[in-house]
Amino acid sequence: MTVRSTVANDAMSTLMANEHGDFWIGLQLPEGQCTNNDITLRGYEWVTGEESIRFSNWKGNDSACTQQCVSVSSDLTWEERPCQDKLAGFLCEYNFNKTCEALPADTDLSILYSTPLGFQGADLRSLPPGSTATCSPSGFKVYCSSKGDWTNGPWDCQIDNGGCEHQCQMINSQPQCICPPGSQLKDNKVACTEIDICSIATCEHICVPHNDSYFCRCQDGYDLDTDGKRCRDIDECKMGQVVCRQDQVCVNTPGSSECKCKPGFKEDDGKCDDLDECSSSPCEHNCINVLGSYQCSCFEGYSQDSKYRHKCKPLCFDIECPAVDCVEKTNSSLMDCDCYDGFVLDTRENGYFCVDINECEMGTYCEQLCDNSFGSYTCYCHDGYSIDSDGYSCVPEDTEEGSGTTGVTPVISVLVTPTSNYTVEGGTILTSGALLGIIICIVVVILVLVFLVHHVLKKNAKWDASSDFKSSGAEEDVCLQQVSTSKYVKHSSFNDILKT
């Protein structure tokens, strides 16, 4: 029985809106009876045997005494016709305690519903328990339970194979879909797909399926490593595979290589020209551009920073000098100052000063002898020793075999600068004060030597004259003549006096 009320008739109008043809509605005239137009069902009965009805919509008033059945068309009117006629289908009424509402519409998905009543559709509004919905293209499936809600697949294996495409098994009281060998479950947990062996491979570059396994390959410019999976870059430059111009160098790149100008040069119209680095003022003081590079130098009274060669630091040629680069500390009245190499900062009431560090007093900078200088110190050795290459140690000098004597080794000094100081390579630093002292000492020594030589010569001359006088036996009186300093008087020789 289907159409027994206006509500059922309205529902049927919705179902028939897009349908064409006639459909049986479950009314039939019992055999041996004739129609009676005075009653609502005209003598017809529902196939369930009931005759109750509160609604009818007969098309005409024809009478018949043969076995007849009732059909409806899109206009929903009831029409009597022989039960042997072939129609488009049946309209059946089913009653369920609970049903599942249609899934929310999604423009990216299409949903196909399948009911246990044997029909399918994509635009069903309400689904009876036991219905399934399949989403495309994802392949996800849901099942309408007796509670009127949707359950994700897989569900009970006894119902439509749990929604599984291949095999459904209950594992630990939970349904699970099983795929055949060589296949694996898709993300929808119900459908199977052929296993992509490369999806689980660990190739760094390219995976190539081979039978039931795979092998790895590398992109151009790479070689396969010994593990058969990783790829290592081929250095075409080292292998000599790339020939560059004479003014270029080969530079290896990942998977390839290229020819570039040498450092300090730039490409210009197909050739490498020297880059003038000094144009960007990289040096704090002086900059000298050289072929392919540049050199920094400092003004007089400055030296290059040992760490940052493009910077210059002032030199101090005294035991102490004012501190440099002083800046105020944050939230403090004190200053942060820098000191020259070999000097230590001394904070005083009248300012900040850099005081020379006397490394020689520490006794740890030289193995034997030490000479302190402003901002540095010099290690040297006793006779018979020479300074080692480390600038600290003294090593015995070799003696000539068979001579029986030991040569006297001159004092060899090597300038050593503390680790934190700047050292000028290739020479010994002499301050202007030290140089002046050396010059004065040399002059004094020369004057002393001249005085001594003059004194000795003068004494020898007097001794020789006295000896000659005594040996002659002369007893004459010696005449002495007074010499005036006011005018020039010719002095007689000693022999002339004796002749007088």
Side-chain angles (χ1 to χ4, degrees), residues 35 164 185 280 410 416:
T35 57
C164 298
L185 279 176
S280 60
V416 180

Side-chain angles (χ1 to χ4, degrees), residues 74-198:
S74 58
D75 61 1
L76 301 183
T77 57
W78 297 6
E79 183 179 356
E80 300 170 85
R81 62 176 61 208
C83 295
Q84 292 78 21
D85 290 353
K86 291 184 178 181
L87 303 184
F90 296 87
L91 291 178
C92 302
E93 180 183 352
Y94 294 91
N95 293 315
F96 302 98
N97 292 330
K98 292 184 177 180
T99 58
C100 293
E101 297 297 326
L103 296 174
D106 192 326
T107 55
D108 296 332
L109 295 176
S110 61
I111 303 174
L112 178 64
Y113 298 99
S114 299
T115 69
L117 306 178
F119 65 89
Q120 296 179 334
D123 56 352
L124 303 182
R125 296 183 178 182
S126 184
L127 286 301
S131 299
T132 61
T134 304
C135 302
S136 297
S138 64
F140 281 96
K141 288 185 177 182
V142 290
Y143 174 77
C144 181
S145 69
S146 59
K147 297 179 181 180
D149 53 15
W150 293 103
T151 301
N152 292 329
W155 49 83
D156 191 343
C157 292
Q158 296 181 355
I159 302 175
D160 194 22
N161 195 36
C164 298
E165 181 183 57
H166 182 64
Q167 183 181 1
C168 181
Q169 291 184 1
M170 297 298 293
I171 301 177
N172 296 328
S173 302
Q174 296 293 327
Q176 184 173 337
C177 296
I178 307 299
C179 293
S183 298
Q184 62 183 1
L185 279 176
K186 292 184 177 179
D187 292 338
N188 56 36
K189 303 300 182 183
V190 292
C192 297
T193 183
E194 184 178 351
I195 294 177
D196 180 8
I197 191 65
C198 286

Side-chain angles (χ1 to χ4, degrees), residues 38-285:
D38 294 333
I39 58 178
T40 304
L41 285 182
R42 295 185 178 183
Y44 283 84
E45 296 178 355
W46 296 106
V47 291
T48 58
E50 298 183 15
E51 297 182 3
S52 61
I53 192 171
R54 297 185 299 275
F55 171 82
S56 64
N57 190 20
W58 295 101
K59 186 175 183 180
N61 295 319
D62 297 337
S63 297
C65 293
T66 59
Q67 190 176 8
Q68 298 283 311
C69 292
V70 180
S71 66
V72 296
S73 59
S74 58
D75 61 1
L76 301 183
T77 57
W78 297 6
E79 183 179 356
E80 300 170 85
R81 62 176 61 208
C83 295
Q84 292 78 21
D85 290 353
K86 291 184 178 181
L87 303 184
F90 296 87
L91 291 178
C92 302
E93 180 183 352
Y94 294 91
N95 293 315
F96 302 98
N97 292 330
K98 292 184 177 180
T99 58
C100 293
E101 297 297 326
L103 296 174
D106 192 326
T107 55
D108 296 332
L109 295 176
S110 61
I111 303 174
L112 178 64
Y113 298 99
S114 299
T115 69
L117 306 178
F119 65 89
Q120 296 179 334
D123 56 352
L124 303 182
R125 296 183 178 182
S126 184
L127 286 301
S131 299
T132 61
T134 304
C135 302
S136 297
S138 64
F140 281 96
K141 288 185 177 182
V142 290
Y143 174 77
C144 181
S145 69
S146 59
K147 297 179 181 180
D149 53 15
W150 293 103
T151 301
N152 292 329
W155 49 83
D156 191 343
C157 292
Q158 296 181 355
I159 302 175
D160 194 22
N161 195 36
C164 298
E165 181 183 57
H166 182 64
Q167 183 181 1
C168 181
Q169 291 184 1
M170 297 298 293
I171 301 177
N172 296 328
S173 302
Q174 296 293 327
Q176 184 173 337
C177 296
I178 307 299
C179 293
S183 298
Q184 62 183 1
L185 279 176
K186 292 184 177 179
D187 292 338
N188 56 36
K189 303 300 182 183
V190 292
C192 297
T193 183
E194 184 178 351
I195 294 177
D196 180 8
I197 191 65
C198 286
S199 64
I200 59 174
T202 56
C203 297
E204 185 176 2
H205 283 182
I206 304 170
C207 173
V208 181
H210 180 68
N211 296 331
D212 294 335
S213 185
Y214 67 93
F215 63 89
C216 299
R217 292 176 54 190
C218 295
Q219 299 172 356
D220 292 340
Y222 293 85
D223 276 338
L224 191 64
D225 208 350
T226 54
D227 61 4
K229 298 177 181 179
R230 293 180 296 178
C231 296
R232 50 185 175 84
D233 176 55
I234 299 174
D235 192 339
E236 295 84 358
C237 298
K238 287 186 177 180
M239 297 182 66
Q241 299 179 0
V242 182
V243 179
C244 299
R245 299 197 314 260
Q246 187 174 1
D247 59 350
Q248 291 180 322
V249 291
C250 180
V251 179
N252 186 59
T253 59
S256 183
S257 62
E258 58 184 346
C259 293
K260 290 187 175 182
C261 291
K262 297 177 181 179
F265 294 83
K266 62 179 179 179
E267 184 83 20
D268 185 17
D269 195 20
K271 62 180 181 179
C272 295
D273 292 336
D274 177 52
L275 181 65
D276 186 3
E277 295 86 355
C278 291
S279 61
S280 60
S281 303
C283 303
E284 189 173 21
H285 284 182

